[in-house]
Amino acid sequence: TVTVIVAATVNTLTVGATNGLQILSNSVATLTVNGPTTFGDNAVLVLDAGSILAGAGNVTIARTLRWTGGTMQGNGRTIIAPGATFDVTGSAAKYLHRHLDLRGNGSLSGAHYLYGGLGAVFTIFPGSTFDIAADLQMPWSGAGAFGVLNNLGTFRKTGGTGASPVGFVLNNAGLVQAQSGTLNFGVGGWSNGQFDAGNGTVINFGGGTHVMTNGVSFTTAGSGYHRVDSGTFEVATALTLNTPFEIASAGVLAGNSNFTTANVLRWTGGTMQGNGRTIIAPGSTFEATGNSPKYLHRHLDLRGNGSLSGGHYLYGGLGAVFTIFGGATFDIVADLQMPWSGAGAFGVLNNFGTF
């Protein structure tokens, strides 16, 4: 084991012999790498609290990077090679201010968070998995632009029954999966990949604007569901969900394309807006409920059945047309109102079924 105890700058570095195990450990100093650096098949890089990995050179890990604290920064790139392990753990904060390519597998565990900032891009490549193994967070560090999570592989939460907020821009072209607790994406991004909520879990779009593009899909198991709360879920392509979906108190369903539910759409608060249409398919359920106001500023086609319950009103405005089709029923099950929202033209209720 070699321990870095004073600031060091190298132009290039190769660590690892043909046998044995060689460890380079940095817990207190700044290691600046200005050229290509490789930790081979028999080498381990340990970054602990107080350490800084910096510089313009790329650092490639062929075996293990164990990150228990400190900062990765600089214009270079940290590359976790295929077959290698990225172990983010320990009780100290980790700050990702440097591009990171995960081509092996990684996990976040321990007792502290992984922060992102300065526009650092964390890319999970196809065939790779990054696993949040507890109720841990990936917040914005407060420095510069938000970090970006480009997921081309698998990003999942497998541990803890609580929430794991992610303060990175999420661009999902792979699989995002909640196997435990709640995954909460709080910054926005775009997606043409898959979101899968396991039994008893939630995937929440909790901040910023999340744009759904061609190819995006949603799956669930058991009581799992997807939700927009405190964020905007923008439908940029015609989208049909065969899974439960919730629009919650400060959530917004938006976009110029149609959003169709073939399962349950639960509306507990927030707004539906945009030039697209929300379609409740035959045999599906529309539940307007909860104690928060609901604003219908988007055309709504009810071809299944729906109801208004709970403790607050359903407002209409901006000329939004709520159409109840033949064979469909909408039921006000308490002393609740459907007032004008005060925005633009009155809403329109076209009833061809039962109101």
Side-chain angles (χ1 to χ4, degrees), residues 161-179:
T161 58
S164 288
V166 178
F168 286 62
V169 174
L170 173 67
N171 299 323
N172 176 37
L175 171 64
V176 169
Q177 186 176 59
Q179 296 183 7

Side-chain angles (χ1 to χ4, degrees), residues 173-202:
L175 171 64
V176 169
Q177 186 176 59
Q179 296 183 7
S180 180
T182 299
L183 271 175
N184 182 35
F185 297 99
V187 180
W190 59 263
S191 295
N192 62 6
Q194 180 183 357
F195 293 91
D196 179 62
N199 185 35
T201 72
V202 180

Side-chain angles (χ1 to χ4, degrees), residues 48-133:
D48 205 349
S51 69
I52 298 175
L53 175 64
N58 290 347
V59 177
T60 300
I61 308 295
R63 179 173 178 138
T64 302
L65 170 55
R66 184 173 301 118
W67 194 12
T68 58
T71 301
M72 287 197 277
Q73 66 186 38
N75 294 326
R77 190 176 295 269
T78 299
I79 302 168
I80 312 299
T85 299
F86 180 43
D87 183 14
V88 186
T89 189
S91 57
K94 277 74 64 176
Y95 296 91
L96 183 63
H97 291 163
R98 172 188 181 93
H99 297 328
L100 171 66
D101 291 354
L102 181 63
R103 296 178 180 271
N105 292 312
S107 63
L108 174 61
S109 62
H112 218 301
Y113 304 157
L114 169 58
Y115 295 85
L118 292 181
V121 178
F122 178 5
T123 302
I124 304 170
F125 281 83
S128 297
T129 296
F130 188 77
D131 188 1
I132 300 179

Side-chain angles (χ1 to χ4, degrees), residues 151 170-174 188-195 205 209-218 232-241 254-259:
N151 178 42
L170 173 67
N171 299 323
N172 176 37
W190 59 263
S191 295
N192 62 6
Q194 180 183 357
F195 293 91
F205 301 92
T209 298
H210 298 267
V211 181
M212 302 298 123
T213 64
N214 188 41
V216 70
S217 65
F218 294 81
T232 297
F233 186 92
E234 182 175 326
V235 183
T237 185
L239 178 61
T240 298
L241 265 64
N256 295 327
S257 295
N258 290 348
F259 174 92

